[in-house]
Amino acid sequence: MKTQLLGFVSVGLLLARTAACQLAPVVDDEETDLGAGKGKGKGKGKGKWTEKTSNGVNYQCKCAPGDECWPDANQWQKLNQTVAGSLRVNLPPAVSCYNTFQGPLGNLSTYDAAKCAEVTANFPSEQYQINLPTAGLWTYFTGDTCRPTANPTDTCTLGYYGAYYIAATTEKHIQEGIKFAKENNIRLVIRNTGHDFLGRSVGWGSLVINTHSFQSIKIADAWKPAPGSTYTGPYITVGAGVQAITALQRLSALSPPRVMVTGECATVGIAGGLVQGGGHGPLTNQQGFLADTALEFKAITADGKLVTANAGTNADLFWALRGGGPAAFAVIVEATYKTFVDPPSSAVNLDITLANTGGSVDLLWAAIAKFHSYSPAWVAAGLYVYYEIFGPSLRVHPIVGVGKTPAELSALVAPLLADLAAMGATYTTSASTYPTFQALYFALFEPEGAGNSALTGGWSVARADVLNNGTAVVRAMRAAGDAGAVMVGHMWSAGGAGLPASEWAKSAVNPRFRDVVDKLITIVPVAGNAPAAERAAAQRTLTDVVDAGLRAAAPEGCSYVNEADPFQPDWQTAFWGTNYAELVRIRKKWDGEGVFYAVSTPGTEAWSQIEDGKWLCKKA
């Protein structure tokens, strides 16, 4: 078999930077099928589908490698020319550790000891994987294929990674990629950092558009408001690929230093899925969600048009992009947000292990219950609390007092410490103070790892749930731990951010989040390449045991679309509440043909991923 991978043997794998190879000029289609995927060009035009039957149900599916409607090599080469050579054949990150890559577009010899050593050493690094073009930081939904290995004879396949990607560096590259996916009816994935738990950055047989190269930043003092907005203060405008760490560092260098709302993790991108999911973080108590601070977007729609969306122009799209769901309405290429004065801040760390309770699991959970009972009072006082329950143990790193002195923060935490002592539970604790919140953020919020495989769920607990049903909430948390789940909690209140209720309706974030005092992530470890029965059992544990208990104990709560189980019952209400019907209406207006797809986002009820999550289909 001849290949279209220009210089593959002579220039090596190119994995140090791109984990892929450039397309060569097309040769005669009868001499090569690598890149063509056996397609014959019948996928051009609206309405071309692959017909499939699964479990007795007939489906119309988007075109994938090997299908009759998959674009042929000439079509891919034309796209490559249109996007100035930025189209790549996709390979998994650790392909260099295997003798042979068995891909849907052909088989390749791929072993490279030096490159394998590099990817093996860096696979747990978030930033390393972010800089790769198509990697998913959490690997479950990639199929856990082709992981680093010391045995090069193991099998390496593409798994659920996309077939091709565009390393976009201009808006035109994104526009042309969207148009190509639409015209040829192939699955489209938008990928910036790969910083998601639910597999939205990967998709079997897809074309991936990578937006991470869009790194522009503009900081200014006076925003000119659009009609419908009155804000005239300082702002930051960022390109699609800018990560929180970069934006915060730039703002911190100002005199006086400023800050913006970002996620708890500094490596997350701030102009894509974060704001489209809402975007909560350590400043949510003070300023609300990132979506609450958004002033304007420049975005590319499903028909490939570049549009501006703000309070006065394309206001419905602006509303939907502020919390209405990632990869659902348009591709954000630039976002503008409010910035704020960065105040001195303080923090307290707290740890309680079995050793602190004399080995008593019951006393440990009693201590956790007492800790959790303080959530309404703490968020009302403006505190942000990040904690983890595993082992079993309680690790609170940190309790944050934005704008608070050490004495003020200590006074708020002291009642809990007294309660713990009274019940016979010891603890370890430490306190610190910083000249700005950003200094605290970089000192105390630990980087997350990458390369782990797990199913992720979660539920948010409302103030009323803690006050009226707090014992049942903690009992559900304990049951989740007994079922093997790890829990990560975030105590904050978006309703305590000084935003009047009239402002809440200006974003698509579920209104119930304004009453939340604790947002929980639940994690059930399982490998993506585990047998189907094992994966199905883990999903049942997550949906029907771990999260079901939390939903029952906290009926006033809701679910956060970026950190939750997308297969939970009634996800529409859980994610968006009373906003859902309007989001579907807007989705039909801006993407009525379903060019964009992310699991469990508005208007996707008709879509299914069949045959073990491969083909993306509608019922015929």
Side-chain angles (χ1 to χ4, degrees), residues 3 7 27 237 243 300 314 447 452 455 523 539 550 594 610 618:
T3 80
V27 296
T237 300
Q243 294 170 251
I300 298 174
N314 297 314
N452 298 312
L455 278 171
I523 302 166
Q539 183 66 60
L550 292 169
I610 68 168
K618 286 183 175 182

Side-chain angles (χ1 to χ4, degrees), residues 346-350 396-401 406 409-410 413 417 429-432 440 444:
S346 301
V348 169
N349 287 347
L350 174 69
V396 188
H397 283 229
I399 302 170
V400 179
L409 180 58
S410 294
V413 177
L417 302 184
T429 186
S430 61
S432 52
L440 181 155
L444 296 184

